[in-house]
Amino acid sequence: MNLCALEPAAATTPVSRRLLLSLVAGLLLPLQALAIPVTDPAGDFLATYAGPQNGDMDVLNADVSYNQASDAFRFSATLDGAIGATDGALYVYGLDRGQGTERFLDGDPSIGAGVVFDMVVVVRPDTTAVINDFINNQVTQLSAGTVQILNDSFISVALDADLFPSTGFDTSDYTWNLWPRQGLGNNVQISDFAPDASNVGVSQVPVPSTLALLGIAGLGLLRRRRNTAVDLGSPRRFAAA
């Protein structure tokens, strides 16, 4: 006599497929999260700031990313107004490469608790920039065109990692903060910190080969699961012993 036909329960294939897709998404999610910039509330000017509260002195979001494939950093930010509308506006990224300290605490007024750095990148509205390495006592001037200003309010600067030698941290472990200021001199010229009262780690740009391998692996698992589901979905009968 023949045994009864064996068929999988109807819900098995869809549930397994959803589980597999969730697994693949879970693998990719950490890589996507690394690219999310720091957001900063609009209008959160420091109470100690003595300059005009114009939009170009207020950070909305910012990011510093490290691309291992090109061995380069990219500094970016969106301001709440047209960059350069304020006379003397500067945009300063502070980097902690391993020997950062809270340098603003010794100023008058004392501000910036939690903001540590041992190097700065000063971005100017005229698309020039300057790097000041406090540990190695080195100043590097960067020519016009180094800075890109897009849609009036977005800053983008790509710089070789060689310009940022480590003072103790691995390159991927550097941290940063961004503050606009009106001129140089004292702390009342600083309008905002992004993020507030802390540093944040540099974003990691995934190596293209890593993304490709994850994508191929996910598609392969999905295809294998589909083939298995098709096989199990066909009635199977067994001859009597």
Side-chain angles (χ1 to χ4, degrees):
M1 59 180 297
N2 293 335
L3 298 178
C4 296
L6 300 178
E7 291 188 6
T12 301
T13 299
V15 170
S16 298
R17 184 178 179 183
R18 286 196 297 270
L19 181 61
L20 179 60
L21 291 174
S22 298
L23 177 61
V24 173
L27 290 172
L28 294 176
L29 184 59
L31 295 177
Q32 295 171 344
L34 294 175
I36 298 175
V38 169
T39 58
D40 194 59
D44 64 332
F45 293 98
L46 298 179
T48 53
Y49 174 52
Q53 296 189 4
N54 297 333
D56 65 329
M57 303 300 291
D58 186 18
V59 181
L60 296 182
N61 62 65
D63 186 45
V64 177
S65 61
Y66 173 63
N67 189 322
Q68 183 179 354
S70 61
D71 195 28
F73 285 95
R74 180 170 295 278
F75 301 79
S76 62
T78 301
L79 285 300
D80 197 23
I83 293 168
T86 302
D87 289 340
L90 300 170
Y91 308 97
V92 185
Y93 291 86
L95 279 180
D96 180 15
R97 302 163 296 154
Q99 296 186 35
T101 57
E102 297 172 309
R103 294 171 179 265
F104 291 124
L105 293 183
D106 295 331
D108 184 23
S110 179
I111 62 172
V115 177
V116 298
F117 56 100
D118 57 23
M119 168 183 267
V120 294
V121 179
V122 182
V123 175
R124 305 185 183 105
D126 66 0
T127 72
T128 65
V130 59
I131 299 173
N132 193 343
D133 184 338
F134 301 120
I135 304 303
N136 297 307
N137 296 315
Q138 184 174 356
V139 176
T140 304
Q141 299 286 345
L142 302 174
S143 61
T146 299
V147 179
Q148 291 182 301
I149 298 177
L150 307 173
N151 297 324
D152 292 332
S153 60
F154 181 77
I155 294 170
S156 180
V157 189
L159 298 171
D160 290 339
D162 291 344
L163 294 169
F164 308 98
S166 172
T167 58
F169 291 162
D170 289 338
T171 305
S172 59
D173 293 329
Y174 290 3
T175 66
W176 61 276
N177 191 287
L178 168 64
W179 55 92
R181 59 181 303 147
Q182 187 184 27
L184 299 171
N186 55 63
N187 288 351
V188 298
Q189 295 167 297
I190 297 173
S191 61
D192 191 12
F193 285 112
D196 295 329
S198 68
N199 279 29
V200 65
V202 299
S203 302
Q204 305 299 311
V205 178
V207 178
S209 59
T210 302
L211 289 175
L213 286 174
L214 280 173
I216 292 171
L219 289 173
L221 286 172
L222 183 58
R223 178 173 294 180
R224 181 177 179 182
R225 182 63 206 173
R226 283 177 175 173
N227 291 340
T228 302
V230 170
D231 290 342
L232 290 176
S234 302
R236 296 185 180 182
R237 298 185 181 277
F238 296 86

